[in-house]
Amino acid sequence: MAKILGYIAYEGPSEIDGAPIVVIVNKINDASKNGKTGDIVQSFIIRSDVNPVQALKTGADASICGDCVHRPITAKETGEPPCYVNVGRSVLAVYNAYKRGRYVKADVETIALALAGKSLRIGTYGDPAAAPVLMWQRVSRYVIARAGYSHQWQSPGFDHSAWNSLVMASVDSIDQAALANLYGMRTFRVSIGIDKQPGETVCPASAEGGRKATCADCMLCGGTSKKAKDVVIADHAIGHDRRRTIMLAVA
């Protein structure tokens, strides 16, 4: 019998647009090989009916990423930093494994017990808010730490009080960070250049933070479940050198 790679935590309509999506909690018992994140259980939110590479090309990724300015189809038009996730590699591999039946659909309590004592990344790919918040609350109830990010915190109907202990508000400006704080959320801000503000700390897993810790060691990005400063990281997506040069020229 083939080894089970992980679990299907949710299979149903997207909370963003109603299209079919799936949430996969991946490789619970296998250490991550990602040098930045370290040993942390990953979760993927993907369209269940569309190849993720094709979803990027057609805009169908809106079902799992919403109005995020870093979606490739949007970033190409606006010049915003594109999403750093290599969809054609890790995400596509997860989708193909899902289609081959390599993931087991289980109730949330079974998955929560499997995650007990582990650290969980809520939304390695895809915005956590595409899936029900109650599912995430239940699945992560026994973890020792969680980390996650959502760009949907400005969307109508977003329940800040339900989400603020699960994820960071992903923000792209100082003004956005201030607004998210007013909603009671801690923030993770991508900065063009390094401009740490009072109340922020530089991501310790980043180059500018000296790569002092992996995400698994740090886990600062656990929303208000962590009593800590907001986090800032320099733009490191494709084209970041060009964007920094433009910023310096304008200044």
Side-chain angles (χ1 to χ4, degrees):
M1 180 177 177
K3 180 181 178 182
I4 300 300
L5 295 182
Y7 291 100
I8 297 171
Y10 175 77
E11 211 170 18
S14 164
E15 296 281 294
I16 296 173
D17 66 2
I21 66 168
V22 61
V23 176
I24 294 167
V25 181
N26 193 38
K27 295 187 176 181
I28 291 177
N29 296 312
D30 292 335
S32 170
K33 295 179 175 62
N34 188 309
K36 178 179 181 293
T37 64
D39 187 8
I40 180 171
V41 177
Q42 310 290 336
S43 62
F44 293 78
I45 306 119
I46 55 178
R47 284 285 295 257
S48 59
D49 61 335
V50 181
N51 177 303
V53 176
Q54 188 65 24
L56 288 186
K57 294 178 180 178
T58 63
D61 62 326
S63 304
I64 52 96
C65 291
D67 57 2
C68 178
V69 298
H70 303 295
R71 289 172 57 216
I73 202 168
T74 302
K76 187 181 295 184
E77 298 176 359
T78 63
E80 292 286 343
C83 180
Y84 60 87
V85 179
N86 187 339
V87 175
R89 189 174 181 179
S90 60
V91 185
L92 181 59
V94 169
Y95 176 81
N96 288 337
Y98 165 68
K99 287 299 186 180
R100 294 197 306 270
R102 294 297 306 280
Y103 300 110
V104 173
K105 190 168 185 178
D107 62 85
V108 291
E109 183 64 14
T110 296
I111 301 172
L113 289 171
L115 290 172
K118 301 180 183 294
S119 296
L120 172 67
R121 171 71 184 269
I122 298 178
T124 304
Y125 178 69
D127 195 294
V133 66
L134 183 60
M135 180 275 295
W136 291 116
Q137 290 171 336
R138 291 176 173 175
V139 162
S140 65
R141 68 173 67 184
Y142 305 130
V143 300
I144 57 171
R146 61 175 74 90
Y149 313 87
S150 178
H151 258 99
Q152 299 307 299
W153 61 273
Q154 293 187 89
S155 299
F158 186 89
D159 188 344
H160 300 92
S161 62
W163 283 103
N164 65 11
S165 66
L166 294 172
V167 300
M168 309 286 279
S170 188
V171 302
D172 299 291
S173 71
I174 294 169
D175 288 343
Q176 283 186 6
L179 179 59
N181 286 160
L182 289 176
Y183 285 134
M185 300 192 74
R186 289 181 60 232
T187 64
F188 184 89
R189 183 171 66 88
V190 176
S191 170
I192 306 296
I194 301 173
D195 61 346
K196 184 170 72 72
Q197 301 295 304
E200 290 182 331
T201 187
V202 174
C203 170
S206 67
E208 66 272 20
R211 295 191 174 93
K212 298 174 184 175
T214 64
C215 294
D217 293 329
C218 172
M219 300 303 288
L220 277 180
C221 294
T224 57
S225 67
K226 289 286 186 179
K227 304 301 180 184
K229 292 182 177 182
D230 295 330
V231 181
V232 64
I233 190 171
D235 171 17
H236 59 281
I238 295 172
H240 66 275
D241 289 335
R242 175 179 56 81
R243 286 186 291 274
R244 179 170 171 80
T245 299
I246 292 173
M247 181 199 71
L248 291 173
V250 170

